[in-house]
Amino acid sequence: MASIFSRIISGEIPAAKLYEDAQTLAFLDINPASRGHTLIVCKEELPGLLDLPPELVCAAALTTQVVAKALLAVLQPDGFNIIQNNGKAAGQVVFHYHVHIIPRWEGDRAVGYWRPGTATSDDLRELAALIAARVVEESV
Ligand code: AMP
């Protein structure tokens, strides 16, 4: 069964579209966190960031930047968030890769934030060493 976003891409269901190219589509979120809340989707139906080939990572990032510039020019927010959820535990509801652009105005409380935790410098150093070694493996 095609995802809700694939059905928007195919034109089966309507959306307020902002931009389209060969690999990506941008449209307004139907339940916006703020005015202008936009989704950038890859046309290919892949669940999350780790499923994307490098060229689609780049295509989605480029569309995100271009559309963010247009949102800023039109709405003149004080800032904007880029959010991209991966997995149910991270709040992903639609398992078809997408990036949120959420325009922000001072004091709008449109997006919730994490509670800053604590870590010892030993924890940080050990964890950094583990992950850094793995990053080398992942990047070859
Ligand atoms: P996520 O939690 O990252 O999977 O976000 C999914 C987003 O898709 C939510 O912000 C929804 O409001 C949005 N959404 C779901 N269905 C539609 C639709 N038909 N048109 C536009 N946005 C949608």
Side-chain angles (χ1 to χ4, degrees):
M1 163 103 175
S3 77
I4 187 91
F5 295 161
S6 286
R7 295 169 68 198
I8 288 172
I9 291 160
S10 71
E12 185 192 335
I13 61 173
K17 295 180 182 175
L18 306 180
Y19 172 81
E20 182 166 13
D21 61 25
Q23 292 167 311
T24 64
L25 174 69
F27 52 92
L28 294 177
D29 196 294
I30 203 168
N31 293 127
S34 69
R35 189 156 189 259
H37 180 169
T38 294
L39 301 177
I40 312 299
V41 303
C42 282
K43 288 187 171 177
E44 191 175 339
E45 188 175 329
L46 298 164
L49 178 66
L50 302 191
D51 304 297
L52 265 54
E55 61 273 18
L56 287 188
V57 175
C58 295
L62 194 56
T63 299
T64 301
Q65 188 191 48
V66 169
V67 173
K69 284 182 185 172
L71 286 171
L72 256 69
V74 171
L75 295 173
Q76 304 194 330
D78 300 315
F80 63 96
N81 293 105
I82 302 294
I83 297 176
Q84 199 272 305
N85 300 323
N86 290 273
K88 188 165 167 281
Q92 187 175 11
V93 173
V94 179
F95 290 84
H96 180 152
Y97 180 83
H98 57 282
V99 176
H100 297 255
I101 308 175
I102 304 180
R104 298 297 304 275
W105 285 267
E106 292 296 344
D108 67 11
R109 296 169 154 259
V111 174
Y113 288 99
W114 61 85
R115 279 172 283 114
T118 55
T120 66
S121 49
D122 281 353
D123 281 342
L124 295 177
R125 214 174 13 250
E126 282 167 27
L127 188 56
L130 271 176
I131 299 170
R134 183 65 195 218
V135 168
V136 173
E137 282 179 47
E138 295 291 349
S139 63
V140 289

